[in-house]
Amino acid sequence: MTVHEMKHAASDGARLEAVGGRLSRVDGPAKITGAAHYAVEQQLEGLAHAVMVESTVAAGTVLSVDTRAAETAPGVLLVLTPDTIIPLRTASDWFGTPPPDVPYCPLARVVTYSGQHVAAVVAETFEQAVAAAALVKVTYDETPAIVDLSDPKAGDGIPIEAMTKEWGDAQAAFAASPVRVCAAYNTPREFQAAMEPHGLIARWQGEALTIWEPSQWLDGMARTYAEWFAIPFENVRLVSPYIGGGFGSKALALAHSAVAAASAKMLGRPVKLMLTRPQNFTSYGGRAATRQTVAIGADRDGKIQSIVHRGVNETAVDGMWVEPLGSVTSIMYATPNFSSKQNVVRVNTVVPGAKRAPGENPSAFGIESAIDELAYELGIDPLEIRLRNYAEEDPHARKAWSTRQLREAFAAGAEAFGWATRSPAPRSMRDGHHLIGWGVAAGTYPVRRAHGEAVVNILADGSVEVESSSIDMGQGTYTILAQTAAETLGVPVEQVSVKLGDSHFARAGVAGGSRLAGVMTGAVYKAASQALDELIGLAIADPRSPFHALQANTLVVRDGRIASPRGEGPELSIAELLSAVGREKIEAKGDTMPATTTAEERYKNYTTIAMSIPHTEGDYSRHSWCAHFVEVRVDEDFGTVRVSRVVSALDSGRLYNPKLAESQWKGGIIMGIGQALLEEGLVDRRHGRIVNGNLADYMIPTNADIPDIQTISVGIPDPHSSVLGGKGVGELGIVGVAPAIANAVFHATGKRVRDLPITLEKLI
Ligand code: MCN
Ligand code: MOS
């Protein structure tokens, strides 16, 4: 189908190419034909290849690195150890905290986890580098490692006071409640497992550094490189037009990135470094393993009186990651008494990191399992108990919701799923040897906001260019920005080209926390509106314009043609007008910042997350919401669980492109199915090492694991959340899927699994 035909096929009213239309991805053809080049596919003259050497122990000190054999191996150009790599400067963290003035070495002398980079080899070819890396001999003074949360050496950890949320007297109210449930819920280490592994090409030209690297945050990473090498921010150019998935793992420049850039500088040649799949499991942390206790006290009608929540997540021995486990617990249900506290426990792992909905995801597993347990305890339908405890306002921030279509989500999801025909008792539904279970759970994700900027150029031929250093890792940024510019300017979408993924374009903040679409549609709308004003201003004011004589005070642009609103008088294409008035181009840079913003604040806004706007700022609390209805079939003899049906109703406010939003939601739901049934980073207890760090043993869902998924949008435009009324989409879908499945498994089998993943040995 051509875009034109699809316009007419669009069923839900909005024009395909306008905001809200179901336009297919504009970057699709380039990806399908191979025209889209990913970072390490760049062909550069004189490219050298780097390979990392990792620690084989989880804790200890490097005693010696014997590089002699590697240095004399064929093709070897450099062998890097802490002694031979050029010194770098420590960079600030992602909050922009000024760094201590101490050197940074990306290769470890003190080992804090298995798989940590301790040396690197650079050679003429990749094969030579691999062969030589195997010849590097490292000896260690090994010390006992803290393997994971269950290690007796791990202890209770460090309280994170900032995570404490309390109101009322939760302990006393729990003790006094006539009905009580209390249980512990655990999630294992999970990994992002993006298709495209981490890797980069670094090239120096004098004091200027160009990096081709998949990135969720070009400007933040450019800042890090600039600080490492003590060069101006402008000297770093990051290029990342296409990204094979990130899921949170590609927002930061990592130790291996520093090694590639340092070796390129040392050699005076471009260097390519691509991590192996196993190295992807240890070079950036996956989701931290978590443990939570959730206690709910309720009256006999199922009205919650108290929630007491305690959480723990793993962090590294020498790095801090807090996975906010009380984030959903504290807002999903109305309760007069509440207490949530969280500790982190240091273990010998790479610092855990962001994976799709960090915090909200495991938090929902706890509270959405616990409320299900309460429902069975009381003999109340699991959907009904959620409605009885519906939070009419944010119970923690005590503010009105900007919009909360969760009741609508429950209703629409239940209707489409057929929830009313569910037979309540566990093990009461079956099909032959399959026990059938139906489960429900809710999810939410905050609307994270920031300011953004974009450049919109109208060119002499009437085409439009949008430029931003933001990125598209598969979410659909190219497409929704093309739609935003096309609609705002009144030009066909085919005439708009969106350029992303170059840090020399207009600055952009992180594509994380599901904020990019809201931020960037707002910025492009702003810039395009300015460009349109200028275009119409020219058409009215320039004596050479055929519209000048009309003395109109406004004109409209439709399908790329300018005319008076009532269609009288001349009609010109944009190209004809620009040519008539002798203009080559109209350039507009728009941003959503207050006029008082200083240059320093602007820089901070894009290169750190210090300027993010709290989701509870002002009068409202802003979140996306969803309800998942899941059917599972559990083989009674083998304990195997298959998800056979999913219906999810979601509130992400106004959708910029429902086709892409549905695809995002489904992607999240699929990841949630993987989390519920398959994903688990297994740690070897003797060596403290991830043993299934590869895609054969670390299981993620395949097509055969995924049933038909129906998504229903119940959102309404939310003017408090973004310029165009949308809320976050990217992470919402995963939140609540795992508890919905665990709840369905309980309904099927009568067995409550509180430890993810739900594998067959936990059922038989
Ligand atoms: N969208 C929409 N209407 C809205 C909001 C969004 O139609 N109101 C659609 C748009 O197509 C937009 C997409 O949803 O491009 C995601 O928008 P948003 O929720 O703002 O999320 P971001 O653009 O900030 O993307 C990041 C988010 C995160 S944090 C993770 S993790 C994640 C995710 O997106 N990683 C992904 N989705 C991913 N999808 C792919 N294919 N690969 C990843 O690595
Ligand atoms: Mo997403 S985990 O915030 O990149």
Side-chain angles (χ1 to χ4, degrees):
M1 255 199 299
T2 65
V3 167
H4 186 76
E5 286 162 343
M6 285 193 290
K7 249 179 244 179
H8 297 282
S11 54
D12 55 357
R15 288 202 319 159
L16 187 69
E17 61 184 46
V19 174
R22 303 180 69 87
L23 184 68
S24 290
R25 288 222 221 144
V26 297
D27 51 329
K31 286 183 171 165
I32 288 164
T33 59
H37 289 155
Y38 290 77
V40 296
E41 293 178 329
Q42 304 308 314
Q43 306 297 319
L44 296 185
E45 255 337 286
L47 197 60
H49 298 262
V51 164
M52 304 302 302
V53 177
E54 312 102 55
S55 70
T56 53
V57 303
T61 313
V62 174
L63 289 180
S64 67
V65 186
D66 181 349
T67 59
R68 280 168 301 178
E71 271 158 12
T72 54
V76 169
L77 300 164
L78 262 184
V79 180
L80 294 175
T81 68
D83 293 326
T84 58
I85 191 169
I86 51 171
L88 307 180
R89 300 258 288 267
T90 299
S92 47
D93 63 15
W94 59 330
F95 296 100
T97 319
D101 188 16
V102 292
Y104 166 60
C105 180
L107 300 170
R109 290 176 200 275
V110 177
V111 173
T112 57
Y113 60 92
S114 178
Q116 191 167 9
H117 306 303
V118 291
V121 174
V122 189
E124 292 288 349
T125 70
F126 172 66
E127 290 75 11
Q128 288 170 332
V130 171
L135 301 175
V136 176
K137 299 257 171 328
V138 187
T139 60
Y140 304 91
D141 178 14
E142 190 176 354
T143 53
I146 304 167
V147 172
D148 64 12
L149 280 176
S150 66
D151 192 316
K153 294 189 290 301
D156 296 335
I158 312 156
I160 305 294
E161 304 293 350
M163 290 289 117
T164 299
K165 296 175 181 173
E166 294 192 303
W167 61 88
D169 187 343
Q171 302 280 7
F174 176 73
S177 294
V179 184
R180 283 172 291 188
V181 292
C182 177
Y185 304 91
N186 305 332
T187 66
R189 282 186 209 172
E190 297 158 6
F191 295 87
Q192 296 86 359
M195 284 284 277
E196 178 198 29
H198 281 274
L200 71 154
I201 295 175
R203 180 184 67 191
W204 287 88
Q205 289 162 308
E207 285 296 284
L209 173 63
T210 305
I211 301 277
W212 289 266
E213 184 172 19
S215 170
Q216 292 180 231
W217 191 9
L218 297 176
D219 292 46
M221 285 169 61
R223 172 183 52 81
T224 304
Y225 283 103
E227 291 176 357
W228 279 341
F229 292 97
I231 55 176
F233 175 75
E234 292 71 24
N235 283 23
V236 181
R237 179 172 173 211
L238 239 97
V239 187
S240 177
Y242 299 105
I243 302 157
F247 306 109
S249 69
K250 288 178 177 159
L252 306 173
L254 303 173
H256 71 271
S257 318
V259 169
S263 54
K265 190 168 175 108
M266 292 169 74
L267 279 175
R269 283 175 65 170
V271 169
K272 168 153 133 180
L273 193 167
M274 172 114 159
L275 295 183
T276 62
R277 183 53 70 176
Q279 286 171 345
N280 272 267
F281 286 74
T282 47
S283 300
Y284 180 75
R287 195 193 302 284
T290 72
R291 303 236 187 295
Q292 298 174 75
T293 319
V294 188
I296 309 182
D299 65 22
R300 298 210 182 277
D301 298 331
K303 274 291 251 182
I304 296 175
Q305 299 304 320
S306 176
I307 299 175
V308 183
H309 174 250
R310 297 291 178 260
V312 167
N313 74 267
E314 262 182 4
T315 189
V317 168
D318 57 354
M320 186 52 83
W321 177 263
V322 181
E323 181 91 18
L325 294 167
S327 51
V328 178
T329 331
S330 61
I331 60 164
M332 189 56 88
Y333 300 108
T335 175
N337 301 285
F338 183 85
S339 167
S340 174
K341 291 186 179 186
Q342 186 167 339
N343 282 13
V344 297
V345 168
R346 293 196 186 278
V347 309
N348 288 96
T349 172
V350 61
V351 192
K355 179 177 171 181
R356 215 168 191 168
E360 277 71 20
N361 172 307
S363 180
F365 180 61
I367 184 69
E368 287 299 301
S369 296
I371 192 154
D372 208 69
E373 302 209 35
L374 180 67
Y376 283 97
E377 184 69 29
L378 285 157
I380 297 176
D381 180 275
L383 179 54
E384 173 59 26
I385 198 158
R386 288 172 164 83
L387 294 171
R388 282 191 199 173
N389 292 289
Y390 198 81
E392 300 293 348
E393 61 162 20
D394 181 332
H396 177 232
R398 309 231 168 235
K399 289 183 181 184
W401 305 113
S402 56
T403 49
R404 193 196 206 214
Q405 298 284 102
L406 182 56
R407 202 176 261 125
E408 291 74 5
F410 283 133
E415 169 74 28
F417 188 83
W419 185 263
T421 64
R422 177 176 181 270
S423 114
R427 300 184 74 90
S428 63
M429 289 166 66
R430 68 160 66 227
D431 175 10
H433 62 287
H434 280 150
L435 297 167
I436 292 180
W438 288 4
V440 64
T444 180
Y445 195 81
V447 179
R448 303 196 190 281
R449 295 173 303 148
H451 295 295
E453 72 182 44
V455 164
V456 171
N457 297 325
I458 304 177
L459 306 181
D461 64 356
S463 66
V464 173
E465 250 174 26
V466 177
E467 285 182 357
S468 159
S469 76
S470 62
I471 59 99
D472 192 329
M473 58 180 157
Q475 337 78 298
T477 320
Y478 280 111
T479 312
I480 57 169
L481 297 189
Q483 289 172 284
T484 306
E487 175 175 293
T488 312
L489 288 166
V491 302
V493 78
E494 300 89 327
Q495 245 162 275
V496 181
S497 72
V498 180
K499 296 182 175 172
L500 305 175
D502 187 327
S503 68
H504 281 185
F505 292 153
R507 284 180 190 165
V510 64
S514 302
R515 87 191 70 187
L516 193 69
V519 170
M520 286 310 304
T521 51
V524 169
Y525 172 77
K526 260 294 199 39
S529 302
Q530 280 173 29
L532 179 67
D533 286 351
E534 198 178 332
L535 180 74
I536 292 187
L538 269 180
I540 291 170
D542 194 296
R544 290 166 292 181
S545 159
F547 296 105
H548 185 61
L550 219 63
Q551 302 219 314
N553 54 15
T554 189
L555 295 168
V556 292
V557 186
R558 257 191 231 115
D559 268 336
R561 301 186 68 77
I562 311 168
S564 80
R566 271 178 272 140
E568 63 223 6
E571 189 193 301
L572 262 71
S573 71
I574 294 176
E576 286 161 349
L577 177 82
L578 289 179
S579 147
V581 301
R583 273 289 284 267
E584 275 297 305
K585 126 191 218 194
I586 290 177
E587 241 184 284
K589 187 172 191 171
D591 73 44
T592 55
M593 298 200 161
T596 53
T597 315
T598 63
E600 175 62 16
E601 285 169 338
R602 249 164 226 282
Y603 176 72
K604 254 183 145 175
N605 180 64
Y606 298 115
T607 60
T608 75
I609 59 162
M611 307 265 298
S612 298
I613 310 163
H615 64 273
T616 51
E617 174 233 41
D619 295 338
Y620 297 99
S621 176
R622 303 159 180 83
H623 304 256
S624 295
W625 303 95
C626 63
H628 302 290
F629 294 82
V630 171
E631 176 184 273
V632 297
R633 288 168 167 258
V634 183
D635 187 298
E636 204 177 4
D637 303 321
F638 298 115
T640 46
V641 181
R642 310 279 304 169
V643 175
S644 46
R645 215 150 59 84
V646 179
V647 176
S648 301
L650 308 99
D651 164 17
S652 289
R654 178 188 185 198
L655 301 181
Y656 309 129
N657 181 325
K659 181 175 190 172
L660 301 183
E662 285 163 16
S663 158
Q664 282 290 297
W665 287 335
K666 286 180 185 172
I669 292 164
I670 291 166
M671 250 167 126
I673 294 173
Q675 176 185 37
L677 302 180
L678 301 167
E679 291 191 51
E680 179 172 27
L682 296 169
V683 189
D684 179 302
R685 307 218 62 85
R686 284 164 308 165
H687 302 295
R689 179 183 306 166
I690 291 287
V691 288
N692 58 344
N694 61 73
L695 292 184
D697 299 313
Y698 184 83
M699 284 193 286
I700 55 173
T702 65
N703 281 340
D705 298 307
I706 302 306
D708 224 31
I709 298 172
Q710 184 186 351
T711 57
I712 302 166
S713 174
V714 294
I716 53 173
D718 184 338
H720 308 293
S721 284
S722 63
V723 173
L724 298 186
K727 301 193 282 188
V729 159
E731 291 163 286
L732 177 66
I734 196 174
V735 184
V737 174
I741 293 172
N743 296 344
V745 167
F746 177 77
H747 182 234
T749 63
K751 190 141 189 187
R752 179 66 64 178
V753 181
R754 304 185 182 92
D755 267 292
L756 293 182
I758 306 167
T759 48
L760 53 90
E761 55 285 15
K762 293 175 188 167
L763 287 173
I764 49 180

